[in-house]
């Protein structure tokens, strides 16, 4: 049983927003470059992209968990989707569309 919670003040957290666009181009290189440039950051993707080979996109649905990626027609919609998962799920895809990246310090 929890009897109390103590808070500790740390460094202020800041979140950067960055937008990237795809014009029928491979997704992985841009996402890998961003992930490599921010190795200690939590990077979450939001937006919609149209992909070429939807049959190769595997989005698992977990019960009682917020679904951060959805597929409909040829469109993949991401809502605060971790960049690591996006790289696994969309690695060989070509896409058209825009994603917004929320980049913040990874929680300790």
């Amino acid at each position: 049983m929890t009897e109390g919670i103590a808070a500790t003040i740390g460094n202020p957290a800041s979140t950067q927003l960055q937008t990237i666009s795809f014009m029928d181009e491979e997704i992985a290189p841009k996402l890998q470059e961003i992930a490599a440039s921010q190795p200690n950051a939590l990077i979450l993707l939001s937006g919609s992209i149209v992909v070429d080979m939807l049959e190769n996109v595997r989005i698992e649905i977990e019960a009682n968990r917020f679904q951060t990626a959805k597929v409909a027609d040829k469109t993949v919609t991401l809502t605060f989707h971790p960049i690591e998962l996006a790289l696994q799920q969309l690695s060989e895809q070509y896409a058209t569309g825009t994603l917004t990246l929320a980049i913040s310090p990874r929680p300790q």
Side-chain angles (χ1 to χ4, degrees):
M1 177 190 322
T2 303
E3 294 184 15
I5 297 175
T8 304
I9 297 176
N11 294 330
S14 63
T15 300
Q16 289 180 304
L17 296 179
Q18 181 178 342
T19 302
I20 56 171
S21 295
F22 300 94
M23 294 298 291
D24 196 26
E25 58 191 298
E26 195 172 1
I27 297 170
K30 281 187 180 182
L31 295 184
Q32 288 169 339
E33 181 181 334
I34 292 165
S37 71
Q38 306 277 341
N40 298 320
L42 174 64
I43 303 172
L44 303 174
L45 311 174
S46 296
S48 295
I49 52 174
V50 176
V51 296
D52 286 343
M53 298 185 307
L54 190 63
E55 63 275 5
N56 293 339
V57 177
R58 300 284 176 242
I59 306 291
E60 293 186 28
I61 298 172
E62 296 182 39
N64 301 320
R65 190 168 193 157
F66 179 70
Q67 188 175 350
T68 59
K70 296 178 184 174
V71 177
D73 297 322
K74 288 186 121 190
T75 302
V76 177
T77 302
L78 307 174
T79 307
F80 300 113
H81 193 66
I83 195 169
E84 298 86 1
L85 282 178
L87 280 166
Q88 291 172 11
Q89 297 161 333
L90 305 170
S91 64
E92 297 179 10
Q93 293 292 325
Y94 281 73
T96 300
T98 302
L99 296 175
T100 300
L101 289 70
I103 304 168
S104 58
R106 192 169 292 280
Q108 300 286 333

